[in-house]
Each structure stands twice: as C-alpha cells, then as structure tokens.
Amino acid sequence: MSLTFHWFLPTYGDSRHVVGGGHGLPSGSAGGDRPATLGYLTQIARAAEQLGFVGALTPTGAWCEDAWLTTAMLARETERLKFLVAFRPGFLSPTLGAQMAATFQRHTGGRLLLNVVTGGESEEQRAYGDFLDKDARYARTGEFLQVVRGLWRGETVDLEGRHIQVERAFLARTPDPVPEIYFGGSSPAAGEVAAEHCEVYLTWGEPPAAVAQKIAWIRELAAARGRTVRFGIRLHVISRDTSEQAWAEAERLLQRFDPAAVQAIQAGLARSESEGQRRMLALHGGSTADLEVSPNLWAGIGLVRGGAGTALVGGHTEVADRIAEYHALGIDEFVLSGHPHVEEAYWFGEGVLPLLAARGLWTHPDTAAPTPPAAAVPFASMGTGAGAR
C-alpha cells in the first residue's frame, strides 16, 4: 500500500518564519509576510499537486480565511489535488453540510475530503454563536454525522436528537464518491465519535510510543462497533540535504521567536480545553531547552503556534526513516506543512519522496508523471545559517 501525503494551505498567510495562529489562540494572532491571496495559495496547491501530494488540508477558525470558499476557488486552478476541508459541525445544519459536500464533489470531480473539527475552545465557539460545552459539542458532532451519513446513502432522515432535529431531510443528488471523514481528538468523547464515524483518525505529531497508544485505543473502539479505521498524523517538516542544514534551519526559526510572545502564547494555550493541545504543551513545557522530544521530532513550532506543534527535522534519509517508523505503527497518511509552504513542499517532495519511492513505500499518484529527481533540490541556501540543536 502506497503511503498518502497531504500538504497544507496557510489561509492565514505565510512567511520564512513560523506564522502564528491555530488551535487555542485568539483571532487576529495570525499573519505573515506573504498574504493568503488566491494567487499565492494557487502556487502552493500547484506545487503540491506536481510533487505528488494527494490533498491539501485547509484550516478553519476566526484566524484564517473560510475553507469552503477558498478551496472551491482553488479547485479551478488545479487538476487532481484534493482538498481536506476543515469545518465545524456546529456552524451549519447537517442537511446543508451534506448538500454542500455533494455539490463540491460534482463540481470538482470528487476532490473533497472532510476534516471534522468539533471545536476545542469555548471562547471562539461563542463568537460564532455556539454556547455548548466541549462534551456537548462532541455529542452534537455525532448526531450531525449520523444525519449526514444517512443523507449521503440516499435516505430520508428523521432525527430528534439532543442537539440536532431534522424532519424528512433528503438530498436530491447524493455525492459520488462519498467524501471520506477525517477526525482528530484525544479526549474520551472524541474517541467515541471517531470510532463511530471517521474513515481516518488523525493525531498530532507525538513521539512514536504515544502515537502507538492512540492507534490501539481507536482500533479497539472501532472494532467494538464492527468498523476499521485508517490512521494519519499531522506534522510540520524541515528536511534538508544534510542533518546539519536541517537543524540549522530549525535554530534559525527558533532565534526569531520573541520570548515575550512565547510567554503570552503559552499562557493562552494553557487555557485551552483541548486534550490534544495539553499533550502538545507537555512536550516542551514552554521552554526552549530539550526541544528534540524524540529522534528528529522537534517541538519548537508549538512554542508560537497552537494545534500541531511538532516538526520532523533532519536530512532527507532521516526524515524518511521517521516516516517509515510511524508507518510501521499503523500510520498510512501524513498531513505535512513547512515554513514557507512553497519552498518546504519542494524540499520534502524532491528530497524525501524519492527515497520513500525507492523503498516501495510511496508511488506518485499521477503515474504518468516521473518522480522529481532527488538532486534537484531548490533553495539550498536557506539551510546554511549558523546554529546547533
């Protein structure tokens, strides 16, 4: 089975430095030297498509552009690339959500994947008019997906749930293919919903032992329902021709972190209701010391960004080794990103993917397109700064 790689669309802006924003941070905290224009996002999407990424995760939140509208426009600028659209079930009716997904599939030739985000922060949820607590949001997500699944099967759906009520809901045209559901969450309530409804369970980039525990947990919950689930991991990546160049780049990023900003961001993230965010914070404890929390797994991103806070850092072979290690645990899909997203897509796509192809772990999704040569890695001057891990 070929591994699946997805890239990321920074719909809040991009930079040669780590751009803030993300889970648990207030709106207005993100921004970058490269605004998230449709033209720039098209550059990223086309690069990802050419290099062999299957899809592109597009975030949701008050700190970024709307994912549905942005990807609908980008679909006209690409040919094969799928869009892993993050959305929050509490912000629209399940019938409308099911209809939007069906329309997206028809107009793009089936290029929609859905990342269901329940919403971990009550403060942000309330800004959108959602006043449920965290456990109630997960219960509502389960009801939402129950309705959506029925509609996608062509059923007429009635539900008198605790949070969602629909009467004789139906779709005039069902999606073909049915979008796959990606779902993440580390709390017990999240696990129950994931086991019942998702095709792919996503974890943030924790050390392998912790990831193995999560996989076993979700597998057991899914098996109890007679289901099987695939597994994916969300990581940043800094891959270079040599390990020294990669760690120098990580050090360059770290040196640009303002200590006062780190302190303020960590204080905000500490108030997060998300169990996953708590686990990210525990990896570094707000300190710049000992950020390599597992071989080639660097927790520095999480000092200034909410959500996924770890990066694979190393030479191309080292990064390929870590990917193979996660795959051996049961991870088949990798959702990656890097700063800036155009350049890092090429570093990974031209440096790591050919190595994985040589090991029989990856095949370019467009078999007519040759795998980019490993020697043609651009922007080599970016990894030559001084610094040590």
Side-chain angles (χ1 to χ4, degrees):
M1 176 181 178
S2 177
L3 296 179
T4 298
F5 291 93
H6 307 280
W7 198 239
F8 185 83
L9 292 173
T11 52
Y12 45 83
D14 202 5
S15 174
R16 292 184 181 272
H17 310 286
V18 178
V19 178
H23 196 91
L25 294 179
S27 62
S29 60
D33 301 323
R34 303 179 188 180
T37 63
L38 192 62
Y40 181 65
L41 295 174
T42 296
Q43 283 184 272
I44 298 172
R46 287 178 174 169
E49 185 172 67
Q50 180 262 320
L51 289 164
F53 292 94
V54 168
L57 174 62
T58 312
T60 182
W63 46 279
C64 57
E65 301 288 357
D66 179 75
W68 285 100
L69 293 173
T70 301
T71 56
M73 289 184 277
L74 288 174
R76 295 295 302 270
E77 306 297 329
T78 51
E79 297 178 359
R80 171 189 52 78
L81 190 72
K82 296 182 181 181
F83 296 96
L84 181 51
V85 174
F87 82 106
R88 303 188 187 192
F91 295 171
L92 74 168
S93 79
T95 308
L96 178 59
Q99 181 184 22
M100 290 167 60
T103 298
F104 200 112
Q105 290 297 66
R106 282 192 294 277
H107 290 329
T108 65
R111 292 196 281 147
L112 176 67
L113 305 168
L114 286 175
N115 179 29
V116 176
V117 179
T118 296
E121 313 307 330
S122 292
E123 180 179 357
E124 185 178 12
Q125 296 293 124
R126 288 193 294 268
Y128 283 93
D130 179 13
F131 288 84
L132 295 182
D133 62 26
K134 179 181 174 181
D135 284 345
R137 290 197 296 268
Y138 275 111
R140 179 182 58 196
T141 295
E143 293 179 2
F144 181 100
L145 292 174
Q146 180 182 342
V147 173
V148 167
R149 291 289 198 192
L151 293 171
W152 285 346
R153 290 191 297 265
E155 301 170 1
T156 298
V157 179
D158 294 283
L159 179 65
E160 186 69 27
R162 181 180 177 185
H163 304 286
I164 290 176
Q165 296 83 39
V166 297
E167 183 175 314
R168 296 197 59 76
F170 72 96
L171 292 182
R173 299 178 66 186
T174 57
D176 183 19
V178 171
E180 290 193 310
I181 300 293
Y182 290 64
F183 193 91
S186 299
S187 68
E192 296 292 330
V193 176
E196 182 69 29
H197 292 288
C198 78
E199 276 79 35
V200 180
Y201 175 81
L202 285 176
T203 178
W204 287 334
E206 299 182 35
V211 170
Q213 291 176 349
K214 276 191 172 181
I215 290 173
W217 169 51
I218 297 297
R219 274 184 175 155
E220 182 178 358
L221 291 175
R225 293 162 170 78
R227 301 186 70 242
T228 58
V229 176
R230 304 198 313 275
F231 295 92
I233 192 167
R234 171 77 180 94
L235 288 157
H236 304 272
V237 65
I238 303 173
S239 183
R240 294 294 186 270
D241 291 350
T242 68
S243 181
E244 292 75 15
Q245 289 174 342
W247 285 107
E249 175 64 9
E251 181 66 18
R252 184 190 70 82
L253 294 174
L254 184 64
Q255 291 302 316
R256 289 298 300 263
F257 295 174
D258 176 39
V262 170
Q263 184 176 9
I265 290 168
Q266 291 301 299
L269 292 175
R271 296 190 292 270
S272 173
E273 300 171 1
S274 166
E275 174 63 15
Q277 186 63 70
R278 185 195 66 78
R279 293 166 71 106
M280 284 286 100
L281 294 179
L283 292 177
H284 53 68
S287 170
T288 58
D290 301 320
L291 288 173
E292 190 177 3
V293 296
S294 183
N296 303 107
L297 185 66
W298 185 63
I301 301 292
L303 292 172
V304 292
R305 185 190 187 282
T310 54
L312 293 180
V313 180
H316 303 311
T317 298
E318 291 174 316
V319 172
D321 288 344
R322 298 290 81 75
I323 287 172
E325 182 179 6
Y326 280 119
H327 175 51
L329 299 177
I331 299 292
D332 293 322
E333 303 204 16
F334 294 79
V335 183
L336 306 175
S337 58
H339 303 86
H341 287 74
V342 174
E343 287 91 325
E344 288 297 339
Y346 276 99
W347 276 113
F348 183 85
E350 295 182 340
V352 178
L353 289 182
L355 298 178
L356 294 172
R359 301 183 190 189
L361 293 176
W362 177 78
T363 302
H364 196 294
D366 181 1
T367 55
T371 301
V377 180
F379 313 109
S381 62
M382 292 179 58
T384 58
R389 51 174 168 161

